[in-house]
Amino acid sequence: MVLSRRGVVLGGLALVAVGATGNIVQAATAKSFFAGTASDNNFVYRKTNFAKIDKRWHRQIVKYFSSEAVGTVVVDTRHHFLYLIMENKTAIRYGVGVGKDGFKWYGRATIDRRALWPQWVPPPEMRKRRPELPPMIEGGASNNPLGPRALYLYRDGADIGYRLHGTLEPWSIGTDASSGCIRMFPEDIIDLYQRCPIGTAVEVLPHIADQAPASTTVE
């Protein structure tokens, strides 16, 4: 088979067209995960289109049996759930995104800092992996991956570098997608933020037996 210059050029243009079409499809798919905007503390964020989200990741009240104190946050990394323990053997369960392989972490911590529309400073090790990242992104910026809230985790008074925060990628909830932080829908991190004062205990586990019976979606 002999390829002419014209054939090579047309073939190249066809590949470019396919790539462009793929990008358009991806952009359209991503857009479908959002449903308008909402205002919060003088900033605007894109609301999650929960009709597009599997119901298992919707915020729900579930039965939860634990020896942990009421108000404790427990993260089940295997099943991609975060539980806020409530009274009467119940918990509010949130769908979350967790660390990718090699970035997961487990253990206890406390929420010793909380921030509305936090700025994002990529840690040095992340900037080594991704040198294109800026040294800082202002809070409320459209490309700030922390979203509307961040809860900072400490141990023995020292920041351990992990946070509970929002996400710009609602499709990543229920997956291993982060560099160790716990991602939540913007609406869910806003809800959790108002329920977790400074000093809230947090436990991150490889997994827990999730045998909760029927659940009630929290609106």
Side-chain angles (χ1 to χ4, degrees):
M1 179 178 176
V2 178
L3 291 177
S4 67
R5 180 177 182 278
R6 180 174 181 273
V8 170
V9 171
L10 291 177
L13 290 174
L15 288 174
V16 170
V18 169
T21 301
N23 289 338
I24 291 171
V25 170
Q26 289 176 357
T29 299
K31 186 177 180 180
S32 70
F33 280 88
F34 300 99
T37 60
S39 178
D40 173 83
N41 286 272
N42 298 317
F43 291 102
V44 173
Y45 68 93
R46 301 173 79 182
K47 295 191 298 182
T48 305
N49 177 13
F50 283 100
K52 181 77 174 178
I53 304 297
D54 189 315
K55 289 188 181 298
R56 85 178 77 175
W57 309 127
H58 290 204
R59 191 188 331 153
Q60 303 175 41
I61 295 176
V62 298
K63 283 291 185 183
Y64 189 89
F65 299 89
S66 172
S67 59
E68 300 290 343
V70 170
T72 301
V73 169
V74 179
V75 180
D76 176 345
T77 57
R78 177 177 296 179
H79 295 106
H80 304 95
F81 291 127
L82 180 151
Y83 296 86
L84 176 62
I85 298 176
M86 308 292 283
E87 297 177 341
N88 301 319
K89 297 182 175 60
T90 63
I92 301 176
R93 190 183 77 187
Y94 306 81
V96 296
V98 301
K100 294 175 284 191
D101 285 342
F103 292 93
K104 290 184 175 68
W105 66 280
Y106 312 109
R108 291 184 178 272
T110 58
I111 296 171
D112 283 1
R113 180 185 167 203
R114 308 180 334 140
L116 292 166
W117 293 101
Q119 67 177 20
W120 182 56
V121 179
E125 58 273 18
M126 181 180 289
R127 295 197 68 201
K128 286 182 180 179
R129 297 194 306 271
R130 299 178 56 190
E132 77 280 5
L133 290 174
M136 187 271 288
I137 298 179
E138 290 288 352
S142 61
N143 62 336
N144 186 318
L146 300 185
R149 303 286 189 277
L151 301 171
Y152 297 76
L153 302 184
Y154 285 65
R155 186 181 297 134
D156 298 325
D159 185 349
I160 63 174
Y162 297 111
R163 290 86 173 89
L164 313 178
H165 62 73
T167 183
L168 300 176
E169 302 173 343
W171 53 86
S172 69
I173 300 302
T175 70
D176 298 352
S178 77
S179 295
C181 290
I182 306 301
R183 298 182 176 184
M184 304 179 72
F185 295 119
E187 296 84 354
D188 283 355
I189 190 61
I190 289 173
D191 181 82
L192 184 68
Y193 179 95
Q194 66 186 10
R195 299 176 187 273
C196 292
I198 296 294
T200 294
V202 177
E203 183 174 16
V204 178
L205 303 171
H207 70 90
I208 52 179
D210 178 28
Q211 300 177 357
S215 56
T216 303
T217 300
V218 179
E219 300 296 341

